[in-house]
């Protein structure tokens, strides 16, 4: 398994946590928490600290394997069954994100193009991206995520007098019930950061990279939610499907740059596409880990088309995705919050035989699994990236 630097894993984690969350999750948080919507990001981030800690403990046992390999090598049968369930989860996440970004591109950039064509164009772009492997996706993250961060950090400089801090009043009297409901919606999108250990080996996914990525991603989301409240206003923010785009539309430098939002979209939309490409990569990698003899790169196109169909079958419009956030968060809590603790208690790097008769066969099986893992890791390190 190829080793990545701390900077790459930090940017990778930021993209997974921020990518789709910025599009319309702030509106759901403001709909329940009102002027204290930024507290929903903090509470959701605190909840995610627990599974991240469990993943870090678990990855120490498997320094040369990603989480999918660890599940299959520790428990070949039950691990593959659990991985099949995760495959369905990853497929739904891919279909959801594809539907969101397709609707956003159609509204912002291509309003006259049929949505089916827009979605197909996005799928073609991601399929060629994913076939390059995890190294290609990480390198694209190094290009587009810094642009996304710089764009978001410079936005407060352009608003100036447009920010109305009275929108945050009363400061010290939050509605606890509304903050909890908003945190529940926000958690369903921010939990995508837990997909990182599924594709990154234990040596690369260390404590420094995991905590820095989570901290930076949370800070970016809080800043964007605060900007949306100060510039757009809470009453309008809670009624928007794309508050981040509406926030960008408020940027007007001169009369000549009246459509400055198109320039900002050109800097940020590639980052969103990279995030969906990672969703497709994780889905394809899950199939490869379940069936060792399957060439994962051949599964990119079929799984991409399957996600393309599911994006329209599961969600006929963006309103259904908006309303589905309440139930979807419960699924994410089960598999991305509680399940890491269960995996931490059950997964072990070595297979132990039962009794004296099975001890020799257990040792032989351990040696064969170790040899296969070493050969795969050596091959990936020599080629420079992990092939599907």
């Amino acid at each position: 398994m190829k080793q990545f630097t701390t900077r790459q894993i930090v940017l990778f984690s930021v993209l997974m946590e921020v990518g789709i969350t910025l599009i319309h999750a702030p509106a759901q948080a403001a709909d329940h928490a009102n002027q204290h919507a930024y507290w929903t990001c903090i509470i959701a981030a605190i909840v995610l600290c627990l599974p991240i800690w469990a993943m870090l403990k678990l990855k120490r046992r498997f320094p040369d394997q990603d989480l999918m390999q660890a599940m299959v090598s520790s428990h070949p049968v039950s691990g593959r069954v659990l991985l099949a369930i995760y495959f369905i989860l990853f497929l739904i996440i891919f279909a959801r994100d594809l539907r969101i970004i397709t609707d956003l591109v159609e509204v912002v950039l291509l309003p006259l193009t049929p949505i089916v064509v827009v979605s197909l164009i996005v799928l073609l772009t991601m399929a060629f991206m994913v076939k390059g492997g995890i190294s290609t996706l990480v390198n694209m993250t190094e290009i587009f995520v810094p642009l996304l961060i710089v764009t978001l950090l410079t936005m407060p400089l352009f608003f100036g007098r447009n920010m109305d801090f009275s929108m945050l009043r009363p400061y010290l009297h939050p509605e606890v019930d509304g903050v909890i409901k908003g945190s529940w919606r926000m958690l369903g999108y921010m939990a995508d950061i837990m997909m990182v250990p599924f594709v990154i080996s234990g040596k690369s996914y260390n404590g420094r990279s995991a905590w820095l990525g989570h901290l930076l991603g949370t800070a970016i989301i809080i800043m964007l939610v605060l900007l949306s409240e100060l510039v757009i206003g809470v009453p309008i923010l809670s009624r928007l499907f794309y508050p981040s785009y509406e926030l960008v539309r408020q940027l007007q430098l001169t009369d000549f740059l009246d459509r400055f939002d198109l320039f900002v979209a050109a800097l940020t939309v590639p980052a969103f596409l990279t995030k969906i490409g990672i969703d497709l990569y994780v889905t394809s990698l899950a199939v490869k880990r379940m069936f060792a003899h399957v060439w994962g790169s051949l599964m990119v196109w079929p799984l991409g088309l399957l996600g393309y169909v599911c994006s329209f079958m599961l969600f006929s419009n963006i309103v259904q995705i908006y309303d589905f956030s309440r139930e979807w968060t419960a699924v994410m809590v089960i598999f991305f919050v509680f399940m890491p603790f269960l995996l931490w208690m059950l997964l072990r790097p070595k297979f132990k035989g039962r009794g004296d008769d099975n001890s020799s066969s257990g040792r032989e099986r351990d040696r064969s699994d170790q040899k296969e893992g070493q050969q795969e890791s050596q091959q990936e390190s020599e080629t420079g990236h992990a092939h599907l």
Side-chain angles (χ1 to χ4, degrees):
M1 184 69 68
K2 179 177 173 57
Q3 301 300 312
F4 298 103
T5 63
T6 300
R7 183 190 70 256
Q8 291 175 325
I9 301 302
V10 168
L11 296 177
F12 195 78
S13 301
V14 170
L15 178 63
M16 296 303 295
E17 187 171 14
V18 173
I20 301 299
T21 307
L22 294 180
I23 295 182
H24 65 75
Q28 300 185 31
D31 188 23
H32 296 280
N34 297 323
Q35 71 273 16
H36 298 98
Y38 57 92
W39 276 105
T40 62
C41 310
I42 300 175
I43 295 176
I46 293 174
V47 173
L48 289 175
C49 288
L50 301 176
I52 291 176
W53 176 83
M55 281 294 184
L56 290 173
K57 293 290 185 180
L58 177 61
K59 299 293 280 185
R60 291 179 182 177
R61 302 174 187 170
F62 304 93
D64 298 324
Q65 295 180 340
D66 54 54
L67 185 56
M68 297 184 190
Q69 288 176 312
M71 293 165 58
V72 174
S73 62
S74 298
H75 304 279
V77 178
S78 59
R80 283 181 168 85
V81 173
L82 181 60
L83 193 55
I85 299 175
Y86 270 105
F87 165 76
I88 299 175
L89 178 68
F90 296 148
L91 182 63
I92 297 176
I93 293 175
F94 169 62
R96 180 203 67 183
D97 295 347
L98 179 62
R99 189 68 176 87
I100 291 174
I101 196 66
T102 299
D103 194 81
L104 176 64
V105 172
E106 185 193 27
V107 171
V108 177
L109 301 176
L110 304 172
L112 300 180
T113 306
I115 191 171
V116 178
V117 178
V118 174
S119 182
L120 186 60
I121 294 174
V122 174
L123 176 62
L124 292 174
T125 304
M126 291 184 300
F128 285 108
M129 183 192 311
V130 173
K131 290 178 72 68
I134 187 63
S135 275
T136 302
L137 295 172
V138 173
N139 292 333
M140 294 184 66
T141 300
E142 284 192 287
I143 298 173
F144 296 120
V145 173
L147 291 176
L148 175 65
I149 295 175
V150 171
T151 303
L152 295 178
L153 291 179
T154 54
M155 285 176 60
L157 303 177
F158 295 103
F159 287 121
R161 298 179 180 179
N162 293 333
M163 293 188 292
D164 185 8
F165 287 90
S166 64
M167 291 292 179
L168 302 180
R169 296 177 181 175
Y171 301 105
L172 302 178
H173 298 280
E175 185 181 353
V176 178
D177 183 48
V179 171
I180 294 175
K181 291 181 179 179
S183 304
W184 180 260
R185 267 73 172 181
M186 189 68 69
L187 180 62
Y189 291 93
M190 294 178 63
D192 287 356
I193 192 177
M194 299 307 302
M195 296 172 64
V196 177
F198 284 86
V199 294
I200 301 298
S201 64
K203 291 182 179 179
S204 298
Y205 190 74
N206 51 39
R208 182 180 180 183
S209 60
W211 294 122
L212 284 178
H214 183 46
L215 179 62
L216 182 58
T218 304
I220 292 175
I221 297 175
I222 292 174
M223 186 198 69
L224 185 73
V225 172
L226 281 173
L227 277 178
S228 301
E229 292 180 345
L230 296 176
V231 177
I232 301 176
V234 176
I236 301 177
L237 175 63
S238 59
R239 290 168 172 80
L240 297 175
F241 281 115
Y242 302 113
S244 57
Y245 171 66
E246 190 64 32
L247 178 65
V248 173
R249 288 187 60 186
Q250 306 302 318
L251 292 172
Q252 295 182 359
L253 299 183
T254 62
D255 295 336
F256 177 72
L257 294 177
D258 186 43
R259 291 305 306 272
F260 190 70
D261 56 306
L262 296 179
F263 175 76
V264 177
L267 296 176
T268 56
V269 169
F272 301 152
L273 294 178
T274 306
K275 196 275 178 185
I276 307 176
I278 296 173
D279 296 339
L280 180 56
Y281 176 83
V282 176
T283 307
S284 303
L285 187 63
V287 176
K288 176 179 171 58
R289 298 307 186 206
M290 284 190 293
F291 308 100
H293 300 289
V294 173
W295 192 253
S297 60
L298 298 178
M299 300 301 298
V300 173
W301 288 106
L303 292 177
L305 292 175
L306 179 61
Y308 171 80
V309 174
C310 291
S311 65
F312 292 102
M313 291 182 59
L314 299 177
F315 312 104
S316 60
N317 52 56
I318 198 65
V319 179
Q320 291 187 353
I321 300 179
Y322 193 95
D323 296 334
F324 185 60
S325 299
R326 182 181 62 180
E327 293 78 9
W328 178 247
T329 304
V331 178
M332 299 293 281
V333 168
I334 294 174
F335 289 99
F336 283 161
V337 177
F338 293 145
M339 190 60 69
F341 290 95
L342 184 60
L343 295 176
W344 172 49
M345 292 185 291
L346 296 180
L347 297 185
R348 294 293 184 271
K350 292 183 180 180
F351 176 84
K352 295 183 180 180
R354 297 179 180 177
D356 297 335
D357 297 336
N358 296 332
S359 60
S360 59
S361 61
R363 293 192 188 97
E364 292 178 358
R365 197 175 300 176
D366 291 341
R367 292 173 183 174
S368 61
D369 292 340
Q370 291 177 358
K371 288 181 180 180
E372 291 178 359
Q374 291 176 357
Q375 290 176 358
E376 185 177 358
S377 301
Q378 183 179 2
Q379 181 181 3
E380 291 173 353
S381 61
E382 289 176 355
T383 55
H385 62 279
H387 289 289
L388 278 174

